[in-house]
Each structure stands twice: as structure tokens, then as C-alpha cells.
Amino acid sequence: MSAGNIESSLPPVIAIDGPSASGKGTVAALVARELGFHYLDSGAIYRAAAHAAHQAGVALEDEAGLVGLARRIELRFDGVEVYLNGVAVGDVIRTEEAGRAASRIAARPALRAALLERQRAFRHLPGLVSDGRDMGSVVFPDATLKVYLTASAEERAKRRYKQLIEKGFDANLSELLQDLMDRDARDAARVAAPLQQLADAALLDTTSLTIAQAVARVLRWYREGMD
Ligand code: DC
């Protein structure tokens, strides 16, 4: 676990990385609320960029086109809503298909570089909780606390299934499981900022934890690091 930059003059950051559908977004948002910190859902940036590419007819393999687009788009967060060039896209970017497209463009190093400062710009007082795949390794390597939040693939697929059914969508558990495993493999195998558990990150396996227990654990680690 990192007790990182307590002496630093930069606002504190809690970096929460982990695989798809691990619940890290829910935990990160609740930790941020509890501490009165800002919250960054970095996956939403990749999802919105993939959506912008789709709208603009830029191929997911066209790295230069993606970089140009990433520099041009206007992105704004308001609670769970995400505005892409002024239009609410929160629902469209959170589908399984949008997640797959985000994971594909996220493997492009030049695109990641183009989105780096945009993410760092969320670091404001009194602090930031951010979740993603490379929050602790690349975006905020000096984070005050780094957490690797995961759960078994079966448990993650079940959670995603329940979420989709509750929202009134069709879902197939075995397809979801396969999809999650494919996406994790792509996010972990890429050369640019792969998903990894860092040596200085605290492991939080939520397979048999409630959301409240996971949130309490992160808050305890953070406060212990402050002592
Ligand atoms: O966290 P998420 O499922 O919303 O992220 C969607 C995809 O975006 C994920 O499969 C990989 C990519 N991503 C990334 O490469 N780096 C991040 N910091 C966040 C997301």
C-alpha cells in the first residue's frame, strides 16, 4: 500500500484500479462522497471517446484520427451524467458494446497520451478519487493510496447480469462472463498502461464483500495512511 505523497502540495488522490465490472466505480464514487472529494470515472472518458469516433466515422484502428478527435471533444461530468460536446451520453456509453469499443481504442498509446492531461486536470482540492486501469501506474503514480479492486470473474458477471436485468435489458450470463474475460485479457495484455496489480497497491477482493464493506475498507486504509 502506498502512503505516497502526504507531504506533497498536490491534492490527495485515491487511485482505484481493477478489471471490468469489479464494482470499483460504485466504491470509488461512495468513497469520494464520504470524503467530500471529487470523483473521476476514467473509463467514461475512453467510452465517450469511442462513442465520438463512432459518430464521426473514425475507425477504431485509426490512431491519428482518434488522437485528433480526443483533442477536439468537449467532455463534462455532472454526477453520473456525461456530456459529450454538450449532449448527454451517460446511457449510450455504458452499454457492453461501448465497453468493448472503449477497450479497443484504449490499447492505442497515442490516444492514451492525448487523454492524460484531461484526467490529471480533475485533481483539485480537497482531493480526488479516480477509478480505471492505470490510475496508480500512469495517471497518478504519486497517489496517496492505491487500491487494486477485484472480484472473481463469475461474481463480476453475476453482478453485471443483475444490473442489466434490473435496468430492463436482455442479458445472458455466459455471454457476459465470456465478454468480461475477453475485455480483461485485452486490457491486461496491451503494451500501453496495462491493467496490473502494482506492488504498492492494496488488494481489495470484493467477491464476498458488500459495497458498504468495500467502501469502509478503503476509507480505513486512507485514514490510517493519514495518521
Ligand atoms: O472502467 P470501464 O469498464 O468503464 O472502462 C472501459 C474500457 O476503457 C476498459 O475496458 C479499458 C479502458 N480503460 C482504460 O484503458 N484505462 C482506464 N483508466 C479506464 C478505462
Side-chain angles (χ1 to χ4, degrees):
M1 186 186 327
S2 164
N5 71 326
I6 292 167
E7 313 272 301
S8 157
S9 57
L10 288 170
V13 175
I14 299 179
I16 304 185
D17 289 303
S20 310
S22 52
K24 59 189 186 312
T26 307
V27 172
L30 288 170
V31 169
R33 194 169 76 184
E34 193 63 36
L35 294 170
F37 280 15
H38 302 280
Y39 167 55
L40 167 63
D41 170 4
S42 64
I45 296 184
Y46 286 92
R47 288 169 181 264
H51 184 65
H54 176 71
Q55 281 183 323
V58 172
L60 299 183
E61 296 71 35
D62 175 2
E63 192 156 3
L66 290 171
V67 168
L69 202 63
R71 294 208 178 109
R72 279 197 309 277
I73 54 176
E74 194 246 327
L75 270 178
R76 193 165 52 80
F77 287 82
D78 187 4
V80 289
E81 192 50 273
V82 183
Y83 293 89
L84 170 63
N85 299 325
V87 179
V89 293
D91 282 345
V92 269
I93 65 167
R94 291 203 171 90
T95 63
E96 297 306 299
E97 198 188 340
R100 272 196 298 276
S103 168
R104 281 177 61 194
I105 64 164
R108 305 274 161 185
L111 174 76
R112 302 194 70 86
L115 293 174
L116 194 56
E117 286 313 317
R118 228 182 240 274
Q119 296 172 77
R120 289 186 175 151
F122 282 82
R123 187 174 194 167
H124 288 298
L125 284 170
L128 175 70
V129 184
S130 62
D131 81 77
R133 306 294 185 289
D134 63 341
M135 296 298 99
S137 58
V138 176
V139 183
F140 303 111
D142 62 339
T144 320
L145 170 66
K146 300 180 186 181
V147 176
Y148 185 80
L149 193 154
T150 189
S152 72
E154 288 73 17
E155 178 63 25
R156 289 186 284 125
K158 268 196 244 161
R159 289 179 190 169
R160 180 54 61 86
Y161 177 82
K162 202 166 152 249
Q163 224 175 34
L164 288 169
I165 296 294
E166 277 169 7
K167 283 188 189 161
F169 292 115
D170 260 355
N172 175 305
L173 190 58
S174 55
E175 272 175 25
L176 278 173
L177 178 61
Q178 190 56 51
D179 234 51
L180 280 184
M181 292 196 303
D182 290 348
R183 191 133 74 85
D184 291 347
R186 185 166 44 228
D187 294 343
R190 70 185 180 215
V191 177
L195 169 68
Q196 57 183 314
Q197 189 195 332
L198 302 171
D200 60 351
L203 174 66
L204 183 51
D205 186 332
T206 67
T207 306
S208 50
L209 294 185
T210 63
I211 291 168
Q213 287 171 324
V215 170
R217 193 79 57 91
V218 176
L219 287 170
R220 199 183 74 217
W221 284 335
Y222 180 70
R223 287 172 176 146
E224 280 171 1
M226 294 284 99
D227 288 342

